[in-house]
Amino acid sequence: MLIVGEPLVLGQPSEPPPIQIKTVVDAASEPTTASRYLSQQWLRLGIEYHQDGKLDRAEQQYRESLWTDPTHVHAINGIGVIFMQKQMYLQAIQWLERAVELAPDQSAIWSNLCVAYSSAFRYDEAVRAAAKAVELDPTNPEATLNYAAALSACGHKDRAIAQYAKSIALNPELAAAQSNRIFCRDLMPTTTPTDALAERRVWYE
């Protein structure tokens, strides 16, 4: 699941000041207070367009934000999410990798990067990114769900089931975690028909 301003859109980092991009801006060229303000205005417009599904206009606003303040992690993350929604996964990975370099403590960005890696069939990297997301925020059910999905794609069904269970415990309404957990259990050689039926009863109740 992708996480941009609201939980279902894409993982928006928490609200720290923008972080300097390595080799792009030096101390003498850091954004002024005025340019930071303009960058925030462009970002807000970008998020509004993004949440309305107007991806091209949102990308334009995010890029305007970066033009006035090239250190804005929110805008970088937003562009990465847009590329993912356009199924341009290699570009998404490039932008999201840049974002985690700038904000390595942001669980939501790592979780988005996990989804991008998975979409590009780079499952080992997806597992590592998801594990980092969960390490940074073990209370985030979406990050835990992405971790479970990445583990399942790598064939680690038992570990995936455990992560699905954690995701459900964090948010019992997370339908994807429930259904995927059932699917994983069905694939386990030790699962009996009785076990499978019991799992489904728990979900439907």
Side-chain angles (χ1 to χ4, degrees):
M1 178 178 294
L2 298 177
I3 311 170
V4 180
E6 299 300 321
L8 197 72
V9 198
L10 289 188
Q12 195 68 294
S14 53
E15 197 54 53
I19 302 169
Q20 182 174 330
I21 297 177
K22 296 176 182 177
T23 74
V24 174
V25 208
D26 57 28
S29 61
E30 286 185 357
T32 64
T33 301
S35 66
R36 285 184 186 276
Y37 174 79
L38 287 173
S39 181
Q40 285 295 109
Q41 300 311 304
W42 292 120
L43 179 72
R44 289 191 181 96
L45 282 172
I47 291 173
E48 288 178 12
Y49 284 132
H50 204 159
Q51 293 175 339
D52 288 341
K54 299 173 181 176
L55 301 186
D56 290 337
R57 298 187 73 175
E59 182 182 348
Q60 180 182 355
Q61 303 309 312
Y62 289 144
R63 289 184 183 276
E64 290 283 358
S65 178
L66 291 173
W67 184 78
T68 53
D69 180 1
T71 66
H72 214 309
V73 173
H74 297 274
I76 295 168
N77 176 68
I79 291 173
V81 168
I82 286 173
F83 277 125
M84 197 154 15
Q85 291 173 302
K86 290 181 175 181
Q87 300 182 359
M88 300 169 69
Y89 301 122
L90 296 182
Q91 292 92 326
I93 287 168
Q94 290 174 348
W95 281 89
L96 292 169
E97 285 180 338
R98 179 183 178 191
V100 296
E101 286 180 4
L102 299 171
D105 60 342
Q106 297 294 335
S107 172
I109 303 178
W110 281 104
S111 192
N112 286 342
L113 182 57
C114 160
V115 177
Y117 282 142
S118 292
S119 300
F121 307 106
R122 293 164 60 172
Y123 296 121
D124 289 339
E125 291 166 287
V127 167
R128 288 193 290 270
K132 185 65 176 180
V134 171
E135 175 190 334
L136 289 167
D137 185 3
T139 66
N140 184 337
E142 285 81 11
T144 307
L145 172 58
N146 287 341
Y147 189 22
L151 287 167
S152 178
C154 283
H156 304 304
K157 304 300 181 186
D158 51 347
R159 293 171 61 194
I161 289 169
Q163 291 300 320
Y164 283 129
K166 289 180 181 178
S167 185
I168 293 165
L170 291 167
N171 181 3
E173 302 302 317
L174 206 56
Q178 296 277 10
S179 59
N180 287 356
R181 183 184 182 206
I182 290 172
F183 176 73
C184 277
R185 285 187 66 89
D186 287 349
L187 295 178
M188 295 289 289
T190 56
T191 300
T192 66
T194 302
D195 294 333
L197 179 60
E199 188 78 30
R200 282 163 173 75
R201 281 178 175 165
V202 170
W203 185 20
Y204 287 111
E205 290 173 0

